[in-house]
Amino acid sequence: LFDAQGTVVGIVSWGYGCADRRYPGVYSKVSSATAFIRSGICELSATPPADCGNDPPLPIIGSEAECFSNRMTVQVKGRQGPTRMDRLNIGDEVLTADGSSYSKVYSFGHLDRSRKAEFLQIHTSSSTATDGTPNPPPIIEITAEHLLFLHNVGPRPARDVKPGDYLVTSRQTPPVQVKFIRKIQRHGIYAPLTVSGDLLVNGIAASNYIALPAAFQSQISYEQQNWLQHVSCAPYRFMCSAVMIDCKGETYDAETGYSRVVTMWLPLLRWLENQNQVVRSGILYLVLNMAKLVTAVVGCIVYSRCKKKAQTPETVPSKC
Amino acid sequence: LTPLIVGGSPASTGKYPSFAWPRANGGSGGYGLCGAVKIHDDILLTAGHCKTVFKGNDVHLGGTRRSGSNAADTVRAVRERRHPNYSDITLENDFMLVQLQRGVATAVVPNAPYNTVAARPVANEDVTVIGYGLTSAFANNAQVSDALLEVDVKVRSPASCQASYPFEFDSRSMLCASRNGNDSCQGDRCVHT
């Protein structure tokens, strides 16, 4: 695509049908690839231009982002077709990993619509829909530390996923096999938090949470890490979902993109990370068992209340 | 979603001297031909979706006949480098560089200047798309044109592109353009990009 001065401004890329007004032809925008073209000429050419090597290095992108890319989609209750991450709002209900129930997005643990981050693009085998038509291969773009569910194994960070592994999709669909993985960079990072703690991203089951720093790995399993984070989020989750306060007005750290709530937990995590192993093990042991105890007690209370209600004939027991 | 040009009018000789295309090119099956522009002595710029079309093939440079009968030079392509953020799914960053086995002097085939100004081209700017396309929109009886074709189009605003393709259009790495008026691809003169 040339302009009137004979400068290349675009490359023919794609379009639907003809270049009529409804469906214009789409071209790759040459000005967006200046750095790629410049460095490519310098590196590939046998006779590179004299000024090669004078360019400043490309900025290094953050690797501590824990999230999905803007291209990933979820199924939102009441909306036709998939919804992209960048069109997802707090209060939307998304399909969870069980493939049949929806769970409310009460917060974004990490949200930055413009920041660039590195993602793993995991390509999987094509699944077949019940009517026999093949679906497009589910691809998930996820940061390395984010937890996915390996079939018959459990939650694992995306960085541990290898070609040949099987990823859990939903209870309705069989697991899909990983074909290959590559690193990509994209603008925009999204980490929706759901009441259930999980969601289906491009049809693949994903946790809301991440692997804890390396210091924790020998002490608690990924299952426990996933669960611990879900429990840590409980107060905020309760505030945003159960008490019906809308957390739509929540804010995010301008520098990192983490929500203020996540930012509150980070110092505690860093502190724990820096303790010696014995102290850390002790605290983790206490926290895990305390949390279990609390859950058990709350579970008992809820259960007994429900049971009482169920005995009263006019109450609907399914509410419990 | 495959780029091709259908129809258009033949480009006059010498108007696009830096245009290049591979000699053996899968022009059948409804797909258009991949083209490229020479931007340095031994480097061509093309689309990321054209990967494998150039490497190992002879590439014609200059001229207006697909057969290469009036090409200024023909050189083997030895290497392809696709944009690292290219996506097969979304076609974002649809760029690729091709390295030629040897350089071609600018006196024989000039290097095309490429745009580095983010603000350009502006909405409603007149631009021209060129390439070897099909003579009919119907793939079964279409013939790949032997003449280099050109079609004038107008650049559309990112908002208008987004309105046409709400999910697919990525304003950061894409432009869109359409012909004037409301013609909708009836008859034999239609741009199919």
Side-chain angles (χ1 to χ4, degrees):
Chain A
L1 191 72
F2 288 91
D3 70 6
Q5 288 75 46
T7 301
V8 184
V9 293
I11 314 261
V12 178
S13 186
W14 58 274
Y16 291 141
C18 298
D20 72 16
R21 290 195 66 77
R22 283 169 308 151
Y23 297 110
V26 180
Y27 304 82
S28 21
K29 186 172 164 183
V30 170
S31 65
S32 74
T34 309
F36 163 73
I37 296 170
R38 280 270 317 147
S39 64
I41 291 175
C42 289
E43 288 164 32
L44 293 177
S45 177
T47 53
D51 58 353
C52 281
N54 296 344
D55 286 350
L58 287 172
I60 297 159
I61 49 121
S63 59
E64 71 280 8
E66 280 95 18
C67 47
F68 306 102
S69 80
N70 60 353
R71 300 281 147 171
M72 293 298 96
T73 61
V74 291
Q75 201 66 47
V76 175
K77 195 175 186 175
R79 267 194 236 169
Q80 280 285 321
T83 298
R84 273 173 54 149
M85 286 287 170
D86 51 6
R87 279 149 213 265
L88 187 65
N89 298 308
I90 288 174
D92 287 346
E93 288 187 48
V94 299
L95 195 60
T96 62
D98 69 14
S100 54
S101 62
Y102 289 82
S103 185
K104 188 172 157 183
V105 175
Y106 66 90
S107 169
F108 280 89
H110 206 166
L111 179 69
D112 191 327
R113 294 182 188 273
S114 56
R115 204 175 121 170
K116 198 175 188 185
E118 186 167 271
F119 296 90
L120 296 175
Q121 188 181 58
I122 301 175
H123 292 246
T124 68
S125 56
S126 184
S127 63
T128 307
T130 39
D131 61 359
T133 51
N135 290 328
I139 290 166
I140 189 164
E141 295 174 358
I142 187 169
T143 46
E145 299 304 317
H146 209 113
L147 296 173
L148 288 169
F149 299 97
L150 286 188
H151 183 58
N152 289 337
V153 179
R156 288 291 178 274
R159 64 173 145 80
D160 283 5
V161 175
K162 304 270 176 301
D165 284 351
Y166 282 88
L167 293 176
V168 174
T169 56
S170 72
R171 260 183 225 156
Q172 265 70 40
T173 47
V176 287
Q177 192 173 27
V178 175
K179 278 159 67 185
F180 62 95
I181 302 164
R182 61 184 178 187
K183 281 186 183 171
I184 54 151
Q185 292 174 3
R186 286 212 194 287
H187 289 272
I189 50 192
Y190 301 82
L193 296 176
T194 59
V195 174
S196 67
D198 58 60
L199 70 168
L200 277 184
V201 176
N202 275 21
I204 293 171
S207 167
N208 285 183
Y209 312 109
I210 56 161
L212 293 178
F216 293 87
Q217 296 312 337
S218 61
Q219 285 144 4
I220 57 171
S221 69
Y222 289 121
E223 283 83 353
Q224 287 169 324
Q225 294 176 27
N226 194 32
W227 185 76
L228 197 61
Q229 290 172 79
H230 193 56
V231 170
S232 312
C233 288
Y236 190 62
R237 182 165 59 239
F238 184 71
M239 196 185 97
C240 294
S241 57
V243 193
M244 306 307 280
I245 301 172
D246 230 337
C247 291
K248 277 178 186 158
E250 67 176 11
T251 53
Y252 307 93
D253 191 286
E255 206 165 296
T256 61
Y258 284 112
S259 81
R260 300 284 176 206
V261 182
V262 171
T263 320
M264 261 162 46
W265 283 103
L266 285 177
L268 186 68
L269 195 67
R270 297 275 176 265
W271 175 81
L272 205 55
E273 192 183 352
N274 292 324
Q275 297 308 303
N276 75 47
Q277 199 170 333
V278 180
V279 175
R280 193 166 50 237
S281 297
I283 291 171
L284 283 172
Y285 180 82
L286 276 174
V287 169
L288 282 171
N289 287 291
M290 283 277 287
K292 267 180 204 161
L293 192 69
V294 169
T295 314
V297 170
V298 171
C300 283
I301 295 169
V302 170
Y303 177 71
S304 60
R305 273 204 192 153
C306 285
K307 221 174 161 188
K308 264 186 210 159
K309 277 190 182 173
Q311 280 159 0
T312 335
E314 54 270 48
T315 321
V316 184
S318 67
K319 282 221 166 175
C320 308
Chain B
L1 280 184
T2 313
L4 58 151
I5 291 182
V6 180
S9 45
S12 56
T13 315
K15 198 171 170 191
Y16 303 102
S18 47
F19 193 69
W21 65 98
R23 191 211 306 255
N25 195 335
S28 57
Y31 295 138
L33 296 168
C34 281
V37 278
K38 178 175 177 263
I39 54 168
H40 186 68
D41 299 350
D42 55 351
I43 305 290
L44 311 176
L45 176 64
T46 181
H49 68 256
C50 291
K51 193 158 172 77
T52 72
V53 171
F54 285 85
K55 192 178 170 182
N57 264 320
D58 286 336
V59 177
H60 296 306
L61 297 106
T64 53
R65 297 275 148 213
R66 194 170 74 87
S67 60
S69 59
N70 63 354
D73 202 347
T74 300
V75 185
R76 178 72 51 94
V78 290
R79 224 162 131 191
E80 292 174 334
R81 176 182 290 190
R82 192 148 70 181
H83 194 289
N85 298 350
Y86 167 80
S87 163
D88 275 334
I89 310 133
T90 63
L91 287 177
E92 283 166 284
N93 303 300
D94 194 5
F95 296 102
M96 187 171 75
L97 295 172
V98 174
Q99 185 195 358
L100 301 175
Q101 201 162 31
R102 61 174 167 82
V104 177
T106 50
V108 180
V109 177
N111 300 331
Y114 58 90
N115 182 33
T116 57
V117 184
R120 303 242 9 258
V122 294
N124 287 321
E125 189 169 331
D126 290 308
V127 290
T128 307
V129 51
I130 63 166
Y132 292 101
L134 302 181
T135 53
S136 157
F138 304 101
N140 288 342
N141 52 19
Q143 302 272 309
V144 177
S145 156
D146 184 52
L148 181 63
L149 301 172
E150 65 176 334
V151 179
D152 293 329
V153 288
K154 257 189 194 327
V155 173
R156 302 244 311 246
S157 72
S160 140
C161 301
Q162 203 88 56
S164 290
Y165 302 110
F167 288 95
E168 302 91 335
F169 188 77
D170 168 40
S171 58
R172 200 191 54 76
S173 72
M174 298 173 189
L175 292 170
C176 88
S178 60
R179 290 209 289 175
N180 299 326
N182 284 312
D183 52 352
S184 59
C185 190
Q186 302 297 315
D188 60 274
R189 286 252 153 160
C190 95
V191 191
H192 199 123
T193 50

